[in-house]
Amino acid sequence: MTEIAIDESNDLASVLDHGFVRLDDVMADDLSVVNSARVSFGKRHEEMEDSDYGLISYLMKFRHGTPFEHNAFRFHVKAPIFIFREWQRHRIGSFNEMSGRYMELPGEWYLPQEDDVRTRVGKPGRYTYERARYRDAINFNARLRESCEESYRCYQNALEAGIAPEQARFFLHVNHYSEMYWTVNARSMMNFLSLRVAETAMWEIRQYAHAVEFFFAAMMPVTHKAFTENGRIAP
Ligand SMILES: Cc1cc2nc3c(=O)[nH]c(=O)nc-3n(C[C@H](O)[C@H](O)[C@H](O)COP(=O)(O)OP(=O)(O)OC[C@H]3O[C@@H](n4cnc5c(N)ncnc54)[C@H](O)[C@@H]3O)c2cc1C
């Protein structure tokens, strides 16, 4: 896993240049997996026992998925709009996002660091990405910065002229920052992590997925271990 910068309160991970993943609230532990599986036999454990580690691994391996649904993670996320476009494709979960119809969006946009500007090489289905030449990266960033600044000026001018925010926002780019709340259970989160931590996912969403995984591992360490040891496939 990538190094994640976690703040002192241990509930906020900084991501990209202005983004974050903050664990807003949580109802999740490994015992909930154990007890929702053991209810089949009318059994309940007050704390994790030796056999419970094997049970979680068994459930993961043989894809008995529903015991991993009796928990909830609520995240507050700040990310560029293009990330949310991918993230919100994950239907098993709940989303609420900042509205560009009702408020003036703050002037913040994502600019990749020079080292993170990349070229695409290879054929469809087998693309790989390589670091762009330094000069090209510098030019790209400079032009992108100018373009974002200019588009944000146009946005503010349109608002001042009385254009409705829902149309004034047409000036803004997909790298503009937005915020959302995302509530998800561990089973759906593992599907998200399986797809979005993978090398095939876009580098920027992978950084967010690493942050989500940090909180998952902290709250449900046994489940997280079983997930990683069984091929990172959601049960
Ligand atoms: C690398 C990558 C590239 C992608 N490229 C594209 C692209 O080019 N174009 C594009 O449109 N999307 C693309 N996607 C998005 C992708 O198709 C999925 O929409 C997204 O990853 C969400 O996955 P999911 O459906 O498994 O998750 P969720 O929507 O959270 O669903 C979780 C699981 O619930 C079940 N499920 C949910 N809804 C249904 C349903 N209606 N019927 C049956 N089972 C259901 C499935 O088992 C599913 O895996 C890409 C995703 C990745 C990771």
Side-chain angles (χ1 to χ4, degrees):
M1 267 169 72
T2 306
E3 282 285 297
I4 300 290
I6 306 290
D7 79 340
E8 286 170 6
S9 60
N10 235 13
D11 64 1
L12 187 139
S14 299
V15 188
L16 304 183
D17 50 357
H18 302 295
F20 60 75
V21 173
R22 186 174 66 78
L23 186 62
D24 188 52
D25 209 348
V26 66
M27 180 192 71
D29 59 14
D30 292 312
L31 203 55
S32 66
V33 180
V34 169
N35 282 332
S36 55
R38 292 208 184 278
V39 76
S40 302
F41 302 96
K43 295 274 194 290
R44 173 182 161 78
H45 289 175
E46 291 297 328
E47 51 188 51
M48 290 288 285
E49 298 181 12
D50 285 350
S51 59
D52 294 335
Y53 294 82
L55 172 62
I56 289 180
S57 184
Y58 174 88
L59 295 170
M60 191 74 72
K61 187 171 178 185
F62 292 101
R63 306 194 68 194
H64 293 295
T66 48
F68 298 98
E69 296 174 6
H70 297 280
N71 56 77
F73 293 77
R74 187 171 70 229
F75 293 103
H76 176 196
V77 184
K78 180 176 175 187
I81 288 167
F82 72 86
I83 300 265
F84 285 167
R85 188 80 201 279
E86 295 187 357
W87 201 321
Q88 291 170 1
R89 296 298 306 280
H90 293 262
R91 294 158 289 182
I92 313 301
S94 302
F95 298 92
N96 278 92
E97 188 180 349
M98 194 175 254
S99 171
R101 293 190 68 201
Y102 302 131
M103 61 172 286
E104 180 176 341
L105 295 174
E108 279 187 313
W109 40 83
Y110 166 59
L111 295 176
Q113 295 189 347
E114 278 79 20
D115 286 354
D116 297 327
V117 178
R118 49 196 177 267
T119 61
R120 191 183 72 183
V121 290
K123 296 181 178 162
R126 278 194 237 146
Y127 289 128
T128 56
Y129 296 87
E130 293 175 4
R131 187 186 290 185
R133 288 185 306 178
Y134 188 67
R135 191 188 58 198
D136 295 338
I138 295 282
N139 284 340
F140 171 76
N141 266 11
R143 293 298 314 277
L144 183 59
R145 183 187 300 273
E146 279 168 22
S147 174
C148 292
E149 286 172 357
E150 171 62 12
S151 69
Y152 196 68
R153 272 195 295 276
C154 292
Y155 171 65
Q156 288 186 306
N157 289 343
L159 290 176
E160 277 166 28
I163 302 298
E166 65 191 25
Q167 291 185 317
R169 66 179 168 174
F170 295 169
F171 283 110
L172 302 179
H173 297 317
V174 291
N175 62 341
H176 208 88
Y177 272 95
S178 180
E179 294 184 32
M180 70 167 183
Y181 281 84
W182 180 47
T183 298
V184 66
N185 66 47
R187 186 184 191 186
S188 181
M189 186 196 290
M190 285 187 271
N191 184 56
F192 174 83
L193 296 176
S194 178
L195 293 167
R196 301 301 181 176
V197 170
E199 293 270 311
T200 43
M202 189 175 179
W203 183 84
E204 280 81 0
I205 197 168
R206 271 162 43 204
Q207 308 317 302
Y208 282 89
H210 283 305
V212 168
E213 184 158 0
F214 170 83
F215 293 115
F216 173 44
M219 300 311 303
M220 301 179 73
V222 181
T223 303
H224 178 258
K225 187 162 180 280
F227 171 61
T228 55
E229 288 177 353
N230 284 282
R232 297 180 63 86
I233 307 288

